């Protein structure tokens, strides 16, 4: 039986639009593009489906005359009544310099879906060099160890992917030697992944541990944490290098994720930006 977060019909719409981001001096170009991309998605969803009361003290959203005015002091999708399902084509970026001020403009087209009931909200933290949640960080140095803390209010299934600076999608979870296409998690249990020491007994023999590396001076990665109360199978991938996890292209991964989410309205994910710096 398929678990659904709502019995009401969900609207799926195709939208497009542009966002202009005035880049602070402390933000480099690649990170600025990533921020602009997330913000245009949030703006388009808010304009189409409206907003809810903000759950973040640093993001303020209000709706006036059908248009959403968002004060983006941080990035987050919990304030809007919808979610981004699929990007159509490639986003188009344009950079301009006005005096000493860098400006990034992005145009995007995609499909969005209205959230018509309570969303499954799991807790997840990217941890650097420690397995307690206090080690949460979004900036790593080459040689740092990566761990993931996870807890869900519902039992279900999950997978984790890392998108690297070159557009490769690596499957971090399920572990490489697991035959299942996902990892089953119990409700209200805290899991720490990528740590043999902290693993539950049924997973300990499979654990892969990861140390982050950086070829360039700075690299921007994304980690996708995917969860559903319904069983699903990870994307089709392959082992291309002995010292790396299974991989596929980011485009293939995004197509897989989009197809799964259209078929399973209860599937949710969080995409966390991760900056890797060379020592």
């Amino acid at each position: 039986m398929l678990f659904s977060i709502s019995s009401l019909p969900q609207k799926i719409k195709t939208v497009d639009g542009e966002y202009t981001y005035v880049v602070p001096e402390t933000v480099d170009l690649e990170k600025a593009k990533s921020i602009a991309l997330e913000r245009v998605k949030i703006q388009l969803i808010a304009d189409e489906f409206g907003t809810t009361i903000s759950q973040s003290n640093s993001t303020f959203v209000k709706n006036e005359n059908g248009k959403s005015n968002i004060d983006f002091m941080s990035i987050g999708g919990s304030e809007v009544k919808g979610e981004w399902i699929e990007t159509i084509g490639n986003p188009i970026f344009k950079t301009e310099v006005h005096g000493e001020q860098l400006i990034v403009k992005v145009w995007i087209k995609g499909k969005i879906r209205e959230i018509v009931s309570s969303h499954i909200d799991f807790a997840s933290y990217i941890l650097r060099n420690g397995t307690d949640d206090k080690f949460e960080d979004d900036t790593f140095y080459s040689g740092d160890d990566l761990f993931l803390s996870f807890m869900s209010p519902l039992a279900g299934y999950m997978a984790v992917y890392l998108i690297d600076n070159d557009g490769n999608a690596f499957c971090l979870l399920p572990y490489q030697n697991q035959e299942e296409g996902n990892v089953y998690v119990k409700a209200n249990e805290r899991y720490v992944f990528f740590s043999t020491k902290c693993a539950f007994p049924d997973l300990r023999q499979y654990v892969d541990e990861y140390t982050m590396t950086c070829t360039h001076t700075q690299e921007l990665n994304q980690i996708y944490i995917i969860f559903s109360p319904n069983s699903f199978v990870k994307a089709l991938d392959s082992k291309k290098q002995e010292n790396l996890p299974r991989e596929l292209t980011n485009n293939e991964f995004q197509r897989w994720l989009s197809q799964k989410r259209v078929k399973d309205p209860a599937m949710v994910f969080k995409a966390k930006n991760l900056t890797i710096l060379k020592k």
Side-chain angles (χ1 to χ4, degrees):
M1 180 178 177
L2 184 70
F3 180 98
S4 176
I5 57 174
S6 174
S7 59
L8 299 175
Q10 292 182 309
K11 298 178 184 177
I12 296 180
K13 291 194 173 185
T14 300
V15 295
D16 67 88
E18 183 179 80
Y19 182 82
T20 299
Y21 177 46
V22 179
V23 184
E25 293 182 0
T26 55
V27 177
D28 63 59
L29 180 58
E30 288 306 311
K31 194 160 189 176
K33 287 182 177 180
S34 176
I35 292 172
L37 188 61
E38 290 304 310
R39 292 186 177 186
V40 70
K41 291 178 182 179
I42 294 172
Q43 185 71 65
L44 289 171
I45 295 168
D47 287 347
E48 191 65 43
F49 297 134
T51 60
T52 59
I53 297 174
S54 174
Q55 296 178 3
S56 168
N57 291 328
S58 55
T59 301
F60 302 93
V61 187
K62 60 182 178 180
N63 196 293
E64 295 179 349
N65 301 320
K67 296 291 286 185
S68 296
N69 181 19
I70 301 178
D71 179 8
F72 286 102
M73 294 178 65
S74 70
I75 300 175
S78 61
E79 298 83 8
V80 291
K81 295 181 180 178
E83 56 186 348
W84 193 267
I85 296 295
E86 179 183 4
T87 299
I88 300 172
N90 295 317
I92 298 174
F93 290 95
K94 183 179 179 182
T95 58
E96 300 175 354
V97 178
H98 293 174
E100 296 183 355
Q101 184 67 66
L102 176 63
I103 294 175
V104 172
K105 294 182 179 180
V106 59
W107 178 90
I108 194 172
K109 182 176 182 180
K111 293 181 181 180
I112 60 175
R113 176 169 62 196
E114 184 181 23
I115 297 175
V116 293
S117 68
S118 297
H119 217 40
I120 300 171
D121 188 17
F122 60 79
S124 60
Y125 304 97
I126 304 299
L127 309 177
R128 181 172 72 92
N129 293 336
T131 56
D132 293 333
D133 289 349
K134 67 181 181 181
F135 290 102
E136 182 185 19
D137 210 334
D138 61 2
T139 301
F140 280 60
Y141 291 88
S142 184
D144 284 344
D145 293 329
L146 171 74
F147 305 101
L148 170 67
S149 168
F150 178 90
M151 181 183 290
S152 167
L154 296 175
Y157 305 84
M158 62 177 298
V160 177
Y161 284 82
L162 182 144
I163 314 300
D164 74 2
N165 209 62
D166 298 318
N168 302 305
F170 295 96
C171 180
L172 304 186
L173 207 64
Y175 293 123
Q176 296 182 62
N177 291 325
Q178 285 187 268
E179 295 182 358
E180 300 84 1
N182 53 50
V183 172
Y184 176 77
V185 291
K186 298 177 182 179
N188 301 314
E189 291 272 9
R190 180 178 181 267
Y191 289 79
V192 176
F193 294 106
F194 318 132
S195 167
T196 303
K197 180 180 178 181
C198 297
F200 279 47
D202 59 331
L203 289 175
R204 188 166 294 134
Q205 62 179 314
Y206 301 114
V207 171
D208 299 315
E209 297 187 332
Y210 293 110
T211 299
M212 306 304 291
T213 62
C214 185
T215 303
H216 308 289
T217 303
Q218 175 177 292
E219 297 180 4
L220 185 63
N221 292 185
Q222 277 192 313
I223 291 184
Y224 280 73
I225 303 129
I226 304 159
F227 173 82
S228 176
N230 305 307
S231 181
F232 63 90
V233 177
K234 68 177 180 64
L236 183 65
D237 49 35
S238 61
K239 185 76 171 174
K240 295 182 180 178
Q241 296 188 46
E242 190 58 36
N243 62 336
L244 291 176
R246 303 175 306 265
E247 66 176 287
L248 65 161
T249 68
N250 186 31
N251 287 339
E252 291 169 335
F253 165 71
Q254 296 296 341
R255 280 196 297 270
W256 169 83
L257 182 58
S258 174
Q259 291 167 359
K260 291 294 181 183
R261 296 181 70 213
V262 168
K263 293 179 181 178
D264 180 4
M267 178 177 279
V268 292
F269 78 91
K270 293 182 180 180
K272 295 178 177 284
N273 289 332
L274 197 63
T275 301
I276 318 294
L277 301 174
K278 197 170 186 177
K279 284 187 177 180

